[in-house]
Every structure is written in C-alpha cells, then in structure tokens.
C-alpha cells in the first residue's frame, strides 16, 4: 500500500524470482528469513522512482506486509 493507505496490490502465496522485482524487494526480502513477518517500507528510489506504474504515483514510498513462508 501507499503511505496514504491506498492499496495498489494484494495477494498471498506468491512466488517470484528475486532478481525480477524492484530493488527494495531484492534488498529487503532476504532480511526476513524463512518464516519472517513484518513491514517492508521501500523508499521511492528503491521502488519505481519518478515513473508512475499501475496506479502508483511517481516518487511513492511503498509499504508491504510480508510473511516469508519459504524460499
């Protein structure tokens, strides 16, 4: 979600290669460890920067609630 609470994406049981996501995920997800839970707050320069993407305004800070089930 965005800092104002706008939800731009949601899902569960998502699988993805870490090298195909935004830099903030590439840096943040490994810090959770298997079974880890928490918030991942990604500054805009590690997300999409000044580019608008699918309902995400330019220069947006992104917040994700994470539960890393397995890797």
């Amino acid at each position: 979600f965005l800092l104002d609470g706008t939800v731009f994406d949601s899902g569960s049981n998502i699988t993805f290669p870490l090298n195909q996501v935004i830099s903030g995920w590439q840096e943040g997800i490994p810090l959770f460890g298997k079974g880890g839970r928490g918030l991942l707050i990604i500054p805009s320069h590690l997300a999409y920067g000044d580019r608008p993407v699918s309902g995400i305004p330019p220069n947006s800070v992104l917040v994700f609630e994470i539960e890393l089930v397995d890797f």
Side-chain angles (χ1 to χ4, degrees):
F1 56 90
L2 302 177
L3 290 178
D4 68 2
T6 301
V7 175
F8 59 84
D9 194 4
S10 65
S12 60
N13 298 318
I14 299 168
T15 301
F16 54 85
L18 200 53
N19 66 353
Q20 294 181 7
V21 295
I22 59 175
S23 296
W25 275 70
Q26 291 176 20
E27 291 184 25
I29 292 296
L31 300 175
F32 280 86
K34 188 174 181 177
R37 302 177 94 177
L39 287 179
L40 184 58
I41 302 170
I42 301 177
S44 64
H45 72 278
L46 294 177
Y48 299 107
D50 60 3
R51 300 171 307 187
V53 176
S54 300
I56 301 172
N59 301 311
S60 291
V61 173
L62 308 181
V63 182
F64 296 91
E65 294 180 36
I66 302 291
E67 180 180 3
L68 185 57
V69 176
D70 201 357
F71 55 87

